[in-house]
Amino acid sequence: MGYNEASPARQSWDLPFTADPEEVAALRRLMRLHLGLWGLEDVVEAAQLCVSELVTNVITHVGLGTLATLAVSMNGSYVRIEVHDPDTRALPTLLEVGFGSESGRGMRLVESIAARWGVELQADRKVTWCELSTEPASPCSANDGPRLSRAEGLLDLYKAEHSPRAVSAEGCRLKLACAEEAAINIIADLLHWLHAHGSNADDVLDRAQVHFEAVTDVPA
Protein backbone atom coordinates (compact mmCIF):
# COMPACT_ATOMS: atom_id res chain seq x y z
CA MET A 1 0.00 0.00 0.00
CA GLY A 2 1.47 3.36 -1.00
CA TYR A 3 1.17 6.67 0.76
CA ASN A 4 -2.34 8.04 0.66
CA GLU A 5 -3.52 11.34 2.09
CA ALA A 6 -6.83 9.65 2.93
CA SER A 7 -5.13 7.06 5.14
CA PRO A 8 -5.56 7.25 8.95
CA ALA A 9 -3.53 9.98 10.68
CA ARG A 10 0.17 9.15 10.66
CA GLN A 11 1.47 11.34 13.42
CA SER A 12 5.17 11.34 14.24
CA TRP A 13 6.22 9.52 17.37
CA ASP A 14 9.40 8.92 19.33
CA LEU A 15 10.49 6.60 22.10
CA PRO A 16 13.53 6.80 24.41
CA PHE A 17 15.32 3.49 24.88
CA THR A 18 18.52 2.03 26.29
CA ALA A 19 20.94 0.63 23.72
CA ASP A 20 20.84 -3.04 24.60
CA PRO A 21 20.38 -6.17 22.45
CA GLU A 22 17.23 -7.05 24.41
CA GLU A 23 15.65 -3.75 23.37
CA VAL A 24 15.94 -4.53 19.66
CA ALA A 25 13.11 -7.08 19.63
CA ALA A 26 10.80 -4.69 21.50
CA LEU A 27 11.52 -1.86 19.07
CA ARG A 28 10.89 -4.15 16.11
CA ARG A 29 7.50 -5.12 17.56
CA LEU A 30 6.68 -1.46 18.07
CA MET A 31 7.51 -0.71 14.44
CA ARG A 32 5.21 -3.48 13.28
CA LEU A 33 2.39 -2.18 15.46
CA HIS A 34 2.65 1.46 14.36
CA LEU A 35 3.15 0.79 10.68
CA GLY A 36 0.21 -1.59 10.78
CA LEU A 37 -1.94 1.17 12.26
CA TRP A 38 -0.72 3.48 9.50
CA GLY A 39 -1.76 0.95 6.87
CA LEU A 40 1.84 0.41 5.74
CA GLU A 41 2.17 -3.33 6.24
CA ASP A 42 4.22 -3.60 3.04
CA VAL A 43 7.22 -1.82 4.57
CA VAL A 44 7.06 -3.41 8.03
CA GLU A 45 9.84 -5.95 7.56
CA ALA A 46 12.17 -3.53 5.79
CA ALA A 47 11.58 -1.01 8.59
CA GLN A 48 12.23 -3.63 11.26
CA LEU A 49 15.53 -4.56 9.64
CA CYS A 50 16.60 -0.91 9.48
CA VAL A 51 15.70 -0.39 13.14
CA SER A 52 17.74 -3.46 14.09
CA GLU A 53 20.79 -2.22 12.22
CA LEU A 54 20.57 1.39 13.42
CA VAL A 55 20.17 0.36 17.06
CA THR A 56 22.91 -2.26 16.80
CA ASN A 57 25.17 0.43 15.36
CA VAL A 58 24.66 2.47 18.55
CA ILE A 59 25.35 -0.56 20.76
CA THR A 60 28.52 -1.44 18.86
CA HIS A 61 30.04 1.97 18.19
CA VAL A 62 28.67 4.23 20.95
CA GLY A 63 28.30 1.79 23.79
CA LEU A 64 26.08 -0.69 25.57
CA GLY A 65 23.60 1.11 27.83
CA THR A 66 23.64 4.36 25.87
CA LEU A 67 20.44 6.38 26.26
CA ALA A 68 19.03 6.85 22.77
CA THR A 69 15.74 7.65 21.02
CA LEU A 70 13.85 6.07 18.13
CA ALA A 71 11.77 8.56 16.12
CA VAL A 72 9.45 7.63 13.24
CA SER A 73 7.57 9.98 10.94
CA MET A 74 6.26 10.40 7.40
CA ASN A 75 8.19 12.51 4.91
CA GLY A 76 5.83 12.71 1.97
CA SER A 77 5.53 9.16 0.67
CA TYR A 78 8.52 7.95 2.72
CA VAL A 79 8.67 6.45 6.20
CA ARG A 80 11.52 8.18 8.01
CA ILE A 81 13.28 6.27 10.78
CA GLU A 82 15.70 8.10 13.06
CA VAL A 83 17.90 6.92 15.91
CA HIS A 84 19.25 9.69 18.15
CA ASP A 85 22.31 9.13 20.37
CA PRO A 86 24.55 11.52 22.36
CA ASP A 87 27.89 10.70 20.67
CA THR A 88 28.72 13.14 17.87
CA ARG A 89 32.10 11.51 17.21
CA ALA A 90 31.18 7.93 16.29
CA LEU A 91 29.85 8.46 12.77
CA PRO A 92 28.36 5.55 10.81
CA THR A 93 30.33 4.65 7.68
CA LEU A 94 30.00 2.23 4.81
CA LEU A 95 32.77 -0.25 5.50
CA GLU A 96 34.47 -2.39 2.90
CA VAL A 97 33.98 -5.77 4.55
CA GLY A 98 36.19 -8.73 3.71
CA PHE A 99 35.15 -12.34 3.20
CA GLY A 100 34.12 -14.08 6.42
CA SER A 101 33.60 -10.88 8.41
CA GLU A 102 30.69 -11.16 10.82
CA SER A 103 30.31 -7.42 11.42
CA GLY A 104 30.57 -4.09 9.64
CA ARG A 105 27.80 -4.67 7.12
CA GLY A 106 25.04 -2.87 9.03
CA MET A 107 24.98 0.43 7.18
CA ARG A 108 25.64 -1.30 3.86
CA LEU A 109 22.48 -3.30 4.48
CA VAL A 110 20.54 -0.16 5.38
CA GLU A 111 21.83 1.56 2.24
CA SER A 112 20.71 -1.34 0.05
CA ILE A 113 17.20 -1.41 1.54
CA ALA A 114 16.41 2.26 2.14
CA ALA A 115 15.72 4.84 -0.55
CA ARG A 116 18.20 7.13 1.21
CA TRP A 117 20.00 7.51 4.53
CA GLY A 118 22.27 9.95 6.30
CA VAL A 119 23.65 11.41 9.53
CA GLU A 120 22.83 14.79 11.06
CA LEU A 121 25.01 16.34 13.76
CA GLN A 122 23.29 18.55 16.30
CA ALA A 123 24.66 20.41 19.31
CA ASP A 124 24.04 17.56 21.75
CA ARG A 125 23.34 14.54 19.61
CA LYS A 126 23.79 12.58 16.43
CA VAL A 127 20.80 11.56 14.31
CA THR A 128 21.23 8.57 12.01
CA TRP A 129 18.26 8.25 9.68
CA CYS A 130 16.91 6.35 6.72
CA GLU A 131 13.77 6.60 4.59
CA LEU A 132 11.72 3.82 3.02
CA SER A 133 9.47 4.42 0.04
CA THR A 134 5.82 3.44 0.44
CA GLU A 135 5.17 3.64 -3.29
CA PRO A 136 4.56 0.34 -5.12
CA ALA A 137 7.78 -1.11 -6.49
CA SER A 138 8.25 -2.33 -10.03
CA PRO A 139 7.90 -6.10 -10.40
CA CYS A 140 11.09 -8.06 -9.85
CA SER A 141 12.60 -9.39 -13.01
CA ALA A 142 12.10 -13.12 -13.45
CA ASN A 143 15.06 -14.54 -15.36
CA ASP A 144 14.95 -18.27 -15.99
CA GLY A 145 17.77 -20.70 -16.58
CA PRO A 146 19.53 -23.57 -14.83
CA ARG A 147 22.38 -21.41 -13.50
CA LEU A 148 19.99 -18.98 -11.84
CA SER A 149 17.85 -21.82 -10.50
CA ARG A 150 20.90 -23.43 -8.89
CA ALA A 151 21.96 -20.09 -7.43
CA GLU A 152 18.49 -19.52 -5.96
CA GLY A 153 18.67 -22.93 -4.30
CA LEU A 154 22.05 -22.17 -2.73
CA LEU A 155 20.91 -18.75 -1.52
CA ASP A 156 17.87 -20.29 0.17
CA LEU A 157 20.18 -22.61 2.11
CA TYR A 158 22.41 -19.77 3.26
CA LYS A 159 19.80 -17.18 4.23
CA ALA A 160 20.83 -15.61 7.53
CA GLU A 161 18.53 -16.26 10.48
CA HIS A 162 17.72 -12.56 10.89
CA SER A 163 17.01 -12.00 7.18
CA PRO A 164 13.36 -11.00 6.72
CA ARG A 165 11.12 -12.31 3.97
CA ALA A 166 10.77 -10.15 0.87
CA VAL A 167 7.61 -8.06 0.74
CA SER A 168 6.02 -6.12 -2.08
CA ALA A 169 6.80 -2.42 -1.55
CA GLU A 170 10.46 -2.94 -0.67
CA GLY A 171 10.49 -6.52 -1.90
CA CYS A 172 13.06 -6.47 -4.70
CA ARG A 173 15.57 -4.31 -2.83
CA LEU A 174 15.11 -6.20 0.43
CA LYS A 175 15.38 -9.59 -1.25
CA LEU A 176 18.50 -8.46 -3.11
CA ALA A 177 20.16 -7.20 0.08
CA CYS A 178 19.52 -10.47 1.92
CA ALA A 179 20.60 -12.53 -1.09
CA GLU A 180 23.82 -10.54 -1.31
CA GLU A 181 24.63 -11.37 2.32
CA ALA A 182 23.92 -15.05 1.64
CA ALA A 183 26.07 -14.98 -1.51
CA ILE A 184 29.00 -13.54 0.47
CA ASN A 185 28.67 -16.37 2.98
CA ILE A 186 28.57 -18.95 0.19
CA ILE A 187 31.71 -17.57 -1.47
CA ALA A 188 33.55 -17.28 1.87
CA ASP A 189 32.71 -20.88 2.81
CA LEU A 190 33.86 -22.16 -0.58
CA LEU A 191 37.12 -20.21 -0.32
CA HIS A 192 37.73 -21.66 3.16
CA TRP A 193 37.11 -25.16 1.81
CA LEU A 194 39.45 -24.64 -1.15
CA HIS A 195 42.15 -23.18 1.09
CA ALA A 196 41.87 -26.15 3.46
CA HIS A 197 42.45 -28.44 0.48
CA GLY A 198 45.51 -26.59 -0.77
CA SER A 199 43.97 -24.48 -3.54
CA ASN A 200 44.85 -20.84 -4.18
CA ALA A 201 41.72 -18.81 -3.41
CA ASP A 202 42.78 -15.83 -5.54
CA ASP A 203 43.42 -18.08 -8.53
CA VAL A 204 40.01 -19.70 -8.13
CA LEU A 205 38.31 -16.28 -7.96
CA ASP A 206 40.12 -15.14 -11.10
CA ARG A 207 39.07 -18.27 -12.99
CA ALA A 208 35.49 -17.89 -11.78
CA GLN A 209 35.43 -14.27 -12.98
CA VAL A 210 36.74 -15.29 -16.41
CA HIS A 211 34.10 -18.01 -16.62
CA PHE A 212 31.37 -15.59 -15.56
CA GLU A 213 32.38 -13.03 -18.19
CA ALA A 214 32.51 -15.74 -20.86
CA VAL A 215 28.86 -16.70 -20.38
CA THR A 216 27.41 -13.21 -19.84
CA ASP A 217 27.52 -9.82 -21.54
CA VAL A 218 29.67 -8.34 -18.77
CA PRO A 219 32.84 -6.87 -20.35
CA ALA A 220 36.19 -8.17 -19.17
Side-chain angles (χ1 to χ4, degrees), residues 67 74 85 96 101 103 109 125 128 130 134 143 153 155 162 189 199:
L67 297 179
M74 293 300 302
D85 72 71
E96 292 296 334
S101 176
S103 62
L109 199 55
R125 73 185 66 185
T128 307
C130 66
T134 64
N143 297 315
L155 291 173
H162 67 277
D189 285 350
S199 296

Side-chain angles (χ1 to χ4, degrees), residues 4 22 32 43 53 69 73 77 85 95 97-98 107 115 152 161 166 170 173 195 202 213 217:
N4 189 331
E22 294 183 357
R32 177 176 292 279
V43 296
E53 297 300 339
T69 300
S73 60
S77 62
D85 72 71
L95 299 179
V97 182
M107 296 314 298
E152 289 283 354
E161 291 182 1
E170 290 290 326
R173 300 185 73 184
H195 178 74
D202 288 335
E213 291 169 354
D217 294 329

Side-chain angles (χ1 to χ4, degrees), residues 38-49:
W38 285 0
L40 298 175
E41 292 86 356
D42 286 347
V43 296
V44 164
E45 296 194 56
Q48 287 182 314
L49 179 57

Side-chain angles (χ1 to χ4, degrees), residues 26 91 103 120 132 167 179 198 219:
L91 302 181
S103 62
E120 297 176 2
L132 302 171
V167 289

Side-chain angles (χ1 to χ4, degrees), residues 170-184:
E170 290 290 326
C172 294
R173 300 185 73 184
L174 184 53
K175 181 178 180 181
L176 179 59
C178 297
E180 183 176 292
E181 291 297 300
I184 290 170

